[in-house]
Coordinates of all heavy atoms in Angstrom, one line a residue:
M886 N 268.2 146.8 120.0 CA 269.1 147.8 120.4 C 270.4 147.7 119.5 O 270.7 146.6 119.1 CB 269.5 147.8 121.8 CG 268.4 148.3 122.7 SD 269.0 148.6 124.3 CE 267.7 148.0 125.3
A887 N 271.1 148.8 119.5 CA 272.4 148.7 118.7 C 273.3 147.8 119.4 O 273.6 147.8 120.6 CB 273.0 150.1 118.7
A888 N 273.9 146.8 118.7 CA 274.7 145.8 119.2 C 276.0 146.3 119.8 O 276.5 145.9 120.8 CB 275.0 144.7 118.2
S889 N 276.6 147.4 119.2 CA 277.9 147.8 119.6 C 277.9 148.6 120.9 O 278.8 148.5 121.7 CB 278.5 148.7 118.5 OG 277.7 149.9 118.3
K890 N 276.8 149.4 121.2 CA 276.8 150.2 122.4 C 275.7 149.7 123.4 O 275.8 150.1 124.5 CB 276.6 151.6 122.0 CG 277.7 152.2 121.2 CD 277.4 153.7 120.9 CE 278.4 154.3 120.0 NZ 278.1 155.7 119.6
G891 N 274.7 149.0 122.9 CA 273.6 148.6 123.7 C 272.6 149.7 123.9 O 271.8 149.6 124.8
W892 N 272.8 150.8 123.2 CA 271.9 152.0 123.3 C 270.8 151.9 122.3 O 270.9 151.2 121.3 CB 272.6 153.3 123.1 CG 273.7 153.6 124.1 CD1 273.8 153.1 125.3 CD2 274.7 154.6 124.0 NE1 274.8 153.6 126.0 CE2 275.4 154.6 125.2 CE3 275.1 155.5 123.0 CZ2 276.5 155.4 125.4 CZ3 276.1 156.3 123.2 CH2 276.8 156.3 124.4
L893 N 269.7 152.6 122.6 CA 268.6 152.7 121.7 C 269.0 153.6 120.5 O 269.7 154.6 120.7 CB 267.4 153.3 122.4 CG 266.1 153.3 121.7 CD1 265.6 151.9 121.5 CD2 265.1 154.1 122.5
T894 N 268.6 153.1 119.3 CA 268.9 153.9 118.1 C 267.6 154.4 117.5 O 266.5 153.9 117.8 CB 269.7 153.1 117.0 OG1 268.8 152.1 116.6 CG2 271.0 152.5 117.6
F895 N 267.7 155.3 116.5 CA 266.5 155.8 115.8 C 265.9 154.6 115.1 O 264.7 154.5 115.0 CB 266.9 156.9 114.9 CG 265.7 157.4 114.1 CD1 264.7 158.2 114.7 CD2 265.5 157.0 112.8 CE1 263.6 158.6 114.0 CE2 264.3 157.4 112.1 CZ 263.4 158.2 112.7
R896 N 266.7 153.8 114.5 CA 266.2 152.6 113.7 C 265.4 151.7 114.6 O 264.4 151.2 114.2 CB 267.4 151.9 113.2 CG 267.0 150.8 112.2 CD 266.6 151.5 110.9 NE 266.1 150.5 110.0 CZ 265.1 150.7 109.2 NH1 264.5 151.9 109.2 NH2 264.7 149.8 108.4
D897 N 265.7 151.6 115.9 CA 264.9 150.8 116.9 C 263.6 151.4 117.1 O 262.6 150.7 117.4 CB 265.6 150.7 118.2 CG 267.0 150.0 118.2 OD1 267.1 149.0 117.4 OD2 267.9 150.4 118.9
M898 N 263.5 152.8 116.9 CA 262.2 153.5 117.2 C 261.4 153.7 116.0 O 260.2 154.1 116.1 CB 262.5 154.8 117.9 CG 263.3 154.6 119.2 SD 263.9 156.2 119.9 CE 262.5 157.1 120.2
A899 N 262.0 153.7 114.8 CA 261.3 154.0 113.6 C 260.3 153.0 113.2 O 260.4 151.8 113.5 CB 262.3 154.2 112.5
I900 N 259.2 153.4 112.6 CA 258.1 152.6 112.2 C 258.2 152.5 110.6 O 258.2 153.6 110.0 CB 256.7 153.1 112.6 CG1 256.7 153.1 114.1 CG2 255.6 152.2 112.0 CD1 255.5 153.8 114.7
D901 N 258.3 151.4 110.1 CA 258.4 151.2 108.6 C 257.1 150.7 108.1 O 256.5 149.7 108.6 CB 259.5 150.2 108.2 CG 260.9 150.8 108.5 OD1 261.1 152.0 108.4 OD2 261.7 150.0 108.9
F902 N 256.5 151.4 107.1 CA 255.3 150.9 106.5 C 255.6 150.4 105.1 O 256.5 150.9 104.4 CB 254.3 152.1 106.3 CG 253.7 152.6 107.6 CD1 254.0 153.9 108.1 CD2 252.9 151.8 108.4 CE1 253.5 154.3 109.3 CE2 252.3 152.3 109.6 CZ 252.6 153.5 110.0
S903 N 254.8 149.4 104.7 CA 255.0 149.0 103.3 C 254.3 150.0 102.4 O 253.5 150.9 102.9 CB 254.3 147.6 103.1 OG 252.9 147.7 103.2
Q904 N 254.5 149.9 101.1 CA 253.9 150.8 100.1 C 252.3 150.7 100.3 O 251.6 151.7 100.2 CB 254.3 150.5 98.7 CG 253.7 151.5 97.7 CD 254.2 152.9 97.9 OE1 255.3 153.2 98.3 NE2 253.3 153.9 97.6
E905 N 251.9 149.5 100.4 CA 250.4 149.3 100.5 C 249.9 149.9 101.8 O 248.8 150.5 101.8 CB 250.1 147.8 100.6 CG 248.7 147.4 100.6 CD 248.5 145.9 100.6 OE1 248.9 145.3 99.7 OE2 247.8 145.4 101.6
E906 N 250.6 149.9 102.9 CA 250.2 150.5 104.1 C 250.2 152.0 104.0 O 249.3 152.7 104.5 CB 251.1 150.0 105.3 CG 250.9 148.6 105.7 CD 252.0 148.1 106.6 OE1 253.2 148.5 106.5 OE2 251.7 147.2 107.4
W907 N 251.2 152.6 103.4 CA 251.3 154.0 103.2 C 250.0 154.5 102.4 O 249.5 155.5 102.7 CB 252.5 154.4 102.4 CG 253.8 154.6 103.2 CD1 254.9 153.8 103.1 CD2 254.0 155.5 104.2 NE1 255.8 154.3 104.0 CE2 255.3 155.3 104.7 CE3 253.2 156.5 104.8 CZ2 255.8 156.0 105.8 CZ3 253.8 157.3 105.9 CH2 255.1 157.0 106.3
E908 N 249.6 153.8 101.4 CA 248.5 154.2 100.6 C 247.2 154.1 101.4 O 246.2 154.8 101.0 CB 248.4 153.2 99.4 CG 249.5 153.5 98.4 CD 249.6 152.4 97.3 OE1 248.7 151.5 97.2 OE2 250.6 152.5 96.5
C909 N 247.1 153.4 102.5 CA 245.9 153.3 103.3 C 245.9 154.4 104.4 O 244.8 154.6 105.0 CB 245.9 152.0 104.0 SG 245.6 150.6 102.9
L910 N 247.0 155.1 104.6 CA 247.0 156.2 105.6 C 246.2 157.4 105.2 O 246.3 157.9 104.0 CB 248.4 156.6 105.9 CG 249.3 155.6 106.6 CD1 250.7 156.2 106.9 CD2 248.7 155.1 107.9
H911 N 245.5 157.9 106.1 CA 244.7 159.2 105.9 C 245.8 160.3 106.2 O 246.7 160.1 106.9 CB 243.6 159.3 107.0 CG 242.7 160.4 106.8 ND1 243.0 161.6 107.4 CD2 241.6 160.6 106.2 CE1 242.0 162.5 107.1 NE2 241.1 161.9 106.4
P912 N 245.6 161.5 105.6 CA 246.5 162.6 105.8 C 246.8 162.9 107.3 O 247.9 163.3 107.6 CB 245.9 163.8 105.1 CG 245.1 163.1 104.0 CD 244.6 161.9 104.6
T913 N 245.8 162.8 108.1 CA 246.1 163.1 109.5 C 246.9 162.0 110.2 O 247.7 162.3 111.1 CB 244.7 163.2 110.3 OG1 244.0 162.0 110.1 CG2 243.9 164.4 109.9
E914 N 246.9 160.8 109.7 CA 247.7 159.7 110.1 C 249.2 159.9 109.7 O 250.1 159.7 110.4 CB 247.2 158.3 109.7 CG 245.9 158.0 110.3 CD 245.2 156.8 109.7 OE1 245.3 156.6 108.4 OE2 244.7 155.9 110.4
W915 N 249.3 160.4 108.4 CA 250.6 160.7 107.9 C 251.2 161.8 108.7 O 252.4 161.8 109.1 CB 250.5 161.1 106.4 CG 251.7 161.9 105.9 CD1 251.7 163.1 105.5 CD2 253.0 161.4 105.7 NE1 253.0 163.5 105.1 CE2 253.8 162.4 105.2 CE3 253.6 160.1 106.0 CZ2 255.2 162.2 104.9 CZ3 255.0 160.0 105.7 CH2 255.7 161.0 105.2
K916 N 250.5 162.9 109.1 CA 250.9 164.0 109.9 C 251.4 163.5 111.3 O 252.4 163.9 111.8 CB 249.8 165.1 110.0 CG 250.2 166.2 110.9 CD 251.1 167.2 110.3 CE 251.1 168.5 111.0 NZ 251.9 168.5 112.2
L917 N 250.6 162.6 111.9 CA 250.9 162.0 113.2 C 252.2 161.3 113.1 O 253.1 161.4 113.9 CB 249.8 161.1 113.7 CG 250.1 160.4 115.0 CD1 250.3 161.4 116.1 CD2 248.9 159.5 115.3
Y918 N 252.4 160.5 112.1 CA 253.6 159.7 111.9 C 254.8 160.7 111.8 O 255.8 160.5 112.4 CB 253.5 158.9 110.6 CG 254.8 158.2 110.2 CD1 255.2 157.0 110.8 CD2 255.7 158.8 109.3 CE1 256.4 156.4 110.4 CE2 256.9 158.2 108.9 CZ 257.2 157.0 109.5 OH 258.4 156.5 109.1
M919 N 254.7 161.7 111.0 CA 255.7 162.7 110.8 C 256.1 163.3 112.1 O 257.3 163.4 112.5 CB 255.2 163.7 109.8 CG 256.3 164.8 109.4 SD 255.8 165.9 108.0 CE 254.1 166.2 108.4
D920 N 255.1 163.8 112.9 CA 255.4 164.4 114.1 C 256.1 163.5 115.1 O 257.0 163.9 115.8 CB 254.1 164.9 114.7 CG 253.5 166.1 114.0 OD1 254.2 166.8 113.2 OD2 252.3 166.4 114.2
V921 N 255.6 162.2 115.2 CA 256.2 161.3 116.1 C 257.6 160.9 115.8 O 258.5 160.9 116.6 CB 255.3 160.0 116.2 CG1 256.0 158.9 117.0 CG2 253.9 160.3 116.9
M922 N 257.9 160.7 114.5 CA 259.2 160.3 114.1 C 260.2 161.5 114.4 O 261.3 161.3 114.8 CB 259.3 160.0 112.6 CG 258.6 158.6 112.3 SD 259.4 157.2 113.1 CE 258.3 156.9 114.4
L923 N 259.8 162.7 114.1 CA 260.6 163.9 114.3 C 260.8 164.1 115.8 O 261.9 164.4 116.3 CB 260.0 165.1 113.7 CG 260.0 165.2 112.2 CD1 259.2 166.4 111.7 CD2 261.4 165.2 111.7
E924 N 259.8 163.8 116.6 CA 260.0 164.0 118.1 C 260.9 162.9 118.6 O 261.7 163.1 119.5 CB 258.6 163.9 118.8 CG 258.7 164.1 120.3 CD 257.3 164.1 121.0 OE1 256.3 164.1 120.3 OE2 257.3 164.2 122.2
N925 N 260.7 161.7 118.1 CA 261.6 160.6 118.6 C 263.1 160.9 118.3 O 264.0 160.7 119.1 CB 261.3 159.2 117.9 CG 260.0 158.6 118.4 OD1 259.5 159.0 119.5 ND2 259.5 157.7 117.7
Y926 N 263.3 161.4 117.1 CA 264.7 161.8 116.7 C 265.2 162.9 117.6 O 266.3 162.9 118.1 CB 264.8 162.2 115.2 CG 266.2 162.6 114.8 CD1 267.2 161.7 114.8 CD2 266.4 163.9 114.5 CE1 268.5 162.0 114.4 CE2 267.7 164.3 114.2 CZ 268.7 163.4 114.1 OH 270.0 163.7 113.8
S927 N 264.4 163.9 117.8 CA 264.7 165.0 118.7 C 265.1 164.5 120.1 O 266.0 165.0 120.7 CB 263.6 166.0 118.7 OG 263.9 167.1 119.6
N928 N 264.3 163.6 120.6 CA 264.6 163.0 121.9 C 265.9 162.3 122.0 O 266.7 162.4 122.9 CB 263.5 162.1 122.4 CG 262.2 162.8 122.7 OD1 262.2 164.0 123.0 ND2 261.1 162.1 122.6
L929 N 266.2 161.5 120.9 CA 267.5 160.9 120.9 C 268.7 161.9 120.8 O 269.7 161.7 121.5 CB 267.6 159.9 119.7 CG 266.8 158.6 119.8 CD1 266.9 157.9 118.4 CD2 267.4 157.8 120.9
R930 N 268.5 162.9 120.0 CA 269.5 164.0 120.0 C 269.7 164.7 121.3 O 270.8 164.9 121.7 CB 269.1 165.0 118.9 CG 269.4 164.5 117.5 CD 269.2 165.6 116.5 NE 270.2 166.7 116.8 CZ 269.9 168.0 116.5 NH1 268.9 168.3 115.8 NH2 270.8 168.9 116.8
S931 N 268.6 164.9 122.0 CA 268.7 165.6 123.3 C 269.5 164.7 124.3 O 270.1 165.2 125.3 CB 267.4 166.0 123.9 OG 266.7 164.8 124.3
L932 N 269.5 163.4 124.1 CA 270.2 162.5 125.0 C 271.6 162.2 124.4 O 272.3 161.3 125.0 CB 269.4 161.2 125.2 CG 268.1 161.3 125.9 CD1 267.3 160.0 125.7 CD2 268.3 161.7 127.3
D933 N 271.9 162.8 123.3 CA 273.2 162.6 122.7 C 273.4 161.2 122.2 O 274.5 160.6 122.3 CB 274.4 163.1 123.5 CG 275.6 163.4 122.7 OD1 275.5 163.8 121.6 OD2 276.7 163.2 123.3
L934 N 272.3 160.6 121.7 CA 272.3 159.2 121.2 C 272.2 159.1 119.7 O 272.2 158.0 119.2 CB 271.2 158.4 121.9 CG 271.3 158.2 123.4 CD1 270.1 157.5 123.9 CD2 272.6 157.5 123.8
A935 N 272.1 160.3 119.0 CA 272.0 160.3 117.6 C 273.3 160.6 117.0 O 273.8 161.7 117.1 CB 270.9 161.3 117.1
D936 N 273.9 159.6 116.3 CA 275.3 159.8 115.7 C 275.2 160.7 114.4 O 276.0 161.6 114.2 CB 275.9 158.5 115.3 CG 276.3 157.7 116.6 OD1 276.4 158.3 117.6 OD2 276.4 156.5 116.4
C937 N 274.2 160.4 113.6 CA 274.0 161.2 112.3 C 272.5 161.2 112.0 O 271.7 160.5 112.6 CB 274.8 160.5 111.2 SG 274.3 158.9 110.8
K938 N 272.2 162.2 111.2 CA 270.8 162.4 110.8 C 270.3 161.4 109.8 O 270.9 161.4 108.7 CB 270.5 163.8 110.3 CG 269.0 164.1 110.1 CD 268.8 165.4 109.5 CE 269.0 166.5 110.5 NZ 268.6 167.8 110.0
P939 N 269.3 160.5 110.1 CA 268.9 159.6 109.1 C 268.2 160.3 107.9 O 267.6 161.4 108.0 CB 267.8 158.7 109.8 CG 268.1 158.9 111.3 CD 268.7 160.3 111.4
H940 N 268.3 159.7 106.7 CA 267.6 160.2 105.5 C 266.1 160.5 105.8 O 265.6 161.4 105.3 CB 267.8 159.3 104.3 CG 269.3 159.2 103.9 ND1 270.0 160.3 103.4 CD2 270.1 158.2 103.9 CE1 271.2 159.9 103.1 NE2 271.3 158.7 103.4
L941 N 265.5 159.6 106.5 CA 264.1 159.7 106.8 C 263.8 161.0 107.5 O 262.8 161.7 107.2 CB 263.6 158.5 107.6 CG 262.1 158.6 108.1 CD1 261.2 158.7 106.9 CD2 261.8 157.5 109.1
I942 N 264.6 161.4 108.4 CA 264.4 162.7 109.2 C 264.6 163.9 108.3 O 263.8 164.8 108.3 CB 265.4 162.7 110.4 CG1 265.1 161.6 111.4 CG2 265.4 164.1 111.0 CD1 263.6 161.7 111.9
T943 N 265.6 163.8 107.4 CA 265.7 164.9 106.4 C 264.5 165.1 105.6 O 264.0 166.2 105.4 CB 267.0 164.7 105.6 OG1 268.1 164.6 106.4 CG2 267.2 165.8 104.6
F944 N 264.0 163.9 105.1 CA 262.8 163.9 104.3 C 261.6 164.4 105.1 O 260.8 165.3 104.6 CB 262.5 162.5 103.8 CG 261.2 162.3 103.1 CD1 261.0 162.8 101.8 CD2 260.2 161.7 103.7 CE1 259.8 162.7 101.1 CE2 258.9 161.6 103.1 CZ 258.8 162.0 101.8
L945 N 261.4 164.0 106.3 CA 260.3 164.4 107.1 C 260.4 165.9 107.4 O 259.3 166.6 107.5 CB 260.2 163.6 108.4 CG 259.8 162.1 108.2 CD1 259.9 161.4 109.5 CD2 258.4 162.0 107.5
E946 N 261.5 166.4 107.7 CA 261.7 167.8 108.0 C 261.2 168.7 106.8 O 260.5 169.7 106.9 CB 263.1 168.2 108.4 CG 263.5 167.7 109.7 CD 265.0 167.8 110.0 OE1 265.8 167.9 109.1 OE2 265.3 167.8 111.2
R947 N 261.6 168.2 105.6 CA 261.2 169.0 104.4 C 259.7 168.8 104.2 O 259.0 169.8 103.8 CB 261.9 168.4 103.2 CG 263.4 168.7 103.1 CD 264.1 168.2 101.9 NE 265.5 168.4 102.0 CZ 266.4 167.7 101.4 NH1 266.0 166.7 100.6 NH2 267.6 168.1 101.5
M948 N 259.1 167.7 104.4 CA 257.7 167.5 104.3 C 256.9 168.3 105.3 O 255.9 168.9 105.0 CB 257.3 166.0 104.5 CG 257.8 165.1 103.3 SD 257.2 165.6 101.7 CE 255.4 165.4 101.9
K949 N 257.5 168.4 106.6 CA 256.8 169.2 107.6 C 256.7 170.6 107.2 O 255.7 171.3 107.4 CB 257.5 169.0 108.9 CG 256.8 169.7 110.1 CD 257.3 169.3 111.4 CE 256.7 170.0 112.6 NZ 255.3 170.4 112.5
K950 N 257.8 171.2 106.7 CA 257.8 172.6 106.2 C 256.8 172.8 105.2 O 256.0 173.8 105.2 CB 259.2 173.0 105.7 CG 260.2 173.1 106.8 CD 261.6 173.5 106.2 CE 262.6 173.5 107.3 NZ 264.0 173.8 106.8
A951 N 256.7 171.9 104.2 CA 255.7 172.0 103.2 C 254.3 171.9 103.7 O 253.4 172.6 103.4 CB 255.9 171.0 102.1
W952 N 254.1 171.0 104.6 CA 252.8 170.7 105.3 C 252.4 172.0 106.0 O 251.3 172.5 105.9 CB 252.9 169.6 106.3 CG 251.7 169.2 107.0 CD1 251.1 169.9 108.0 CD2 250.8 168.1 106.7 NE1 249.9 169.3 108.4 CE2 249.7 168.2 107.6 CE3 250.8 167.1 105.7 CZ2 248.7 167.2 107.6 CZ3 249.8 166.2 105.8 CH2 248.8 166.2 106.7
D953 N 253.3 172.6 106.8 CA 253.0 173.8 107.6 C 252.7 174.9 106.7 O 251.7 175.7 107.0 CB 254.2 174.2 108.5 CG 254.4 173.2 109.6 OD1 253.5 172.4 109.9 OD2 255.5 173.2 110.2
V954 N 253.4 175.1 105.6 CA 253.1 176.2 104.6 C 251.7 176.0 104.1 O 250.9 176.9 104.0 CB 254.2 176.3 103.5 CG1 253.7 177.1 102.4 CG2 255.5 176.8 104.1
N955 N 251.4 174.8 103.7 CA 250.1 174.5 103.1 C 249.0 174.7 104.1 O 247.9 175.2 103.7 CB 250.0 173.0 102.5 CG 250.8 172.9 101.3 OD1 251.0 173.9 100.5 ND2 251.3 171.7 101.0
Q956 N 249.2 174.3 105.3 CA 248.2 174.5 106.4 C 247.9 176.0 106.6 O 246.8 176.4 106.8 CB 248.6 173.8 107.7 CG 248.6 172.3 107.6 CD 247.2 171.8 107.3 OE1 246.2 172.1 107.9 NE2 247.1 170.9 106.3
K957 N 249.0 176.8 106.6 CA 248.8 178.2 106.8 C 248.0 178.8 105.7 O 247.2 179.7 105.9 CB 250.2 178.9 107.0 CG 250.8 178.6 108.3 CD 252.2 179.2 108.4 CE 252.8 178.8 109.8 NZ 254.2 179.3 109.9
K958 N 248.3 178.4 104.5 CA 247.6 178.9 103.3 C 246.1 178.5 103.4 O 245.3 179.4 103.1 CB 248.2 178.3 102.0 CG 249.5 178.9 101.7 CD 250.0 178.3 100.4 CE 251.4 178.9 100.0 NZ 251.9 178.3 98.8
S959 N 245.8 177.3 103.9 CA 244.4 176.9 103.9 C 243.7 177.6 105.1 O 242.5 177.8 105.0 CB 244.3 175.4 104.0 OG 244.8 174.9 105.2
I960 N 244.4 177.9 106.2 CA 243.8 178.5 107.3 C 243.6 180.0 107.1 O 242.6 180.6 107.5 CB 244.6 178.2 108.6 CG1 244.5 176.7 108.9 CG2 244.1 179.0 109.8 CD1 245.4 176.2 110.0
H961 N 244.6 180.6 106.5 CA 244.6 182.1 106.4 C 244.6 182.4 104.9 O 245.7 182.7 104.3 CB 245.9 182.7 107.0 CG 246.0 182.3 108.5 ND1 245.1 182.8 109.4 CD2 246.8 181.5 109.2 CE1 245.4 182.3 110.6 NE2 246.4 181.5 110.5
P962 N 243.5 182.4 104.2 CA 243.5 182.7 102.8 C 243.8 184.2 102.6 O 243.6 185.0 103.5 CB 242.0 182.4 102.4 CG 241.3 182.5 103.6 CD 242.2 182.1 104.7
P963 N 244.4 184.5 101.4 CA 244.7 185.9 101.2 C 243.4 186.8 101.3 O 242.3 186.4 101.0 CB 245.2 185.9 99.7 CG 245.5 184.5 99.4 CD 244.7 183.7 100.4
S964 N 243.6 188.1 101.6 CA 242.5 189.0 101.9 C 241.7 189.2 100.6 O 240.5 189.5 100.6 CB 243.0 190.3 102.5 OG 243.9 190.9 101.6
Y965 N 242.4 189.1 99.4 CA 241.7 189.4 98.2 C 240.6 188.3 97.8 O 239.8 188.6 96.9 CB 242.7 189.6 97.0 CG 243.5 188.4 96.7 CD1 243.0 187.4 95.9 CD2 244.8 188.2 97.2 CE1 243.8 186.3 95.6 CE2 245.5 187.1 96.9 CZ 245.0 186.2 96.1 OH 245.8 185.1 95.8
V966 N 240.7 187.2 98.5 CA 239.7 186.1 98.2 C 238.3 186.6 98.7 O 237.3 186.3 98.1 CB 240.1 184.8 99.0 CG1 239.0 183.8 98.9 CG2 241.4 184.3 98.4
F967 N 238.3 187.4 99.7 CA 237.0 187.9 100.2 C 236.6 189.1 99.5 O 235.9 189.9 99.5 CB 237.0 188.1 101.8 CG 237.4 186.8 102.5 CD1 238.6 186.6 103.0 CD2 236.4 185.8 102.7 CE1 239.0 185.4 103.6 CE2 236.7 184.6 103.3 CZ 238.0 184.5 103.8

């Protein structure tokens, strides 16, 4: 826990993987990690316990947008494909 306030911080909740561990993750595991980290941060914000947005969250938000766009493209191909 954060020493100054005794409150839970995002850093306390974040999971850090080594480069080797990242390379072993399946895309669905990466998506789960992304969703869980974003939800954890959202929960901290809702409790007013997040002082500032961690760089990891900014990165994950951008990745989630790209992931969502790619998923929509793969689920809903353009009509001219058929």
Side-chain angles (χ1 to χ4, degrees):
M886 286 197 219
S889 62
K890 297 180 183 177
W892 294 344
L893 189 65
T894 66
F895 178 76
R896 189 77 186 140
D897 295 326
M898 300 168 64
I900 299 170
D901 293 323
F902 292 114
S903 68
Q904 183 63 36
E905 183 178 304
E906 291 169 325
W907 276 116
E908 291 170 3
C909 294
L910 292 180
H911 187 273
T913 55
E914 293 169 320
W915 163 246
K916 174 78 165 79
L917 176 62
Y918 172 83
M919 182 171 42
D920 290 343
V921 169
M922 290 297 103
L923 291 171
E924 183 175 357
N925 285 347
Y926 178 70
S927 175
N928 291 336
L929 285 174
R930 284 189 58 208
S931 72
L932 297 170
D933 201 27
L934 296 177
D936 293 336
C937 62
K938 184 184 285 191
H940 294 296
L941 174 63
I942 294 302
T943 302
F944 172 75
L945 291 175
E946 288 171 339
R947 290 179 183 158
M948 292 301 296
K949 182 165 178 37
K950 286 179 186 176
W952 181 285
D953 290 345
V954 167
N955 287 335
Q956 290 300 310
K957 287 178 184 176
K958 286 181 181 177
S959 64
I960 294 171
H961 304 291
S964 58
Y965 63 83
V966 172
F967 300 103

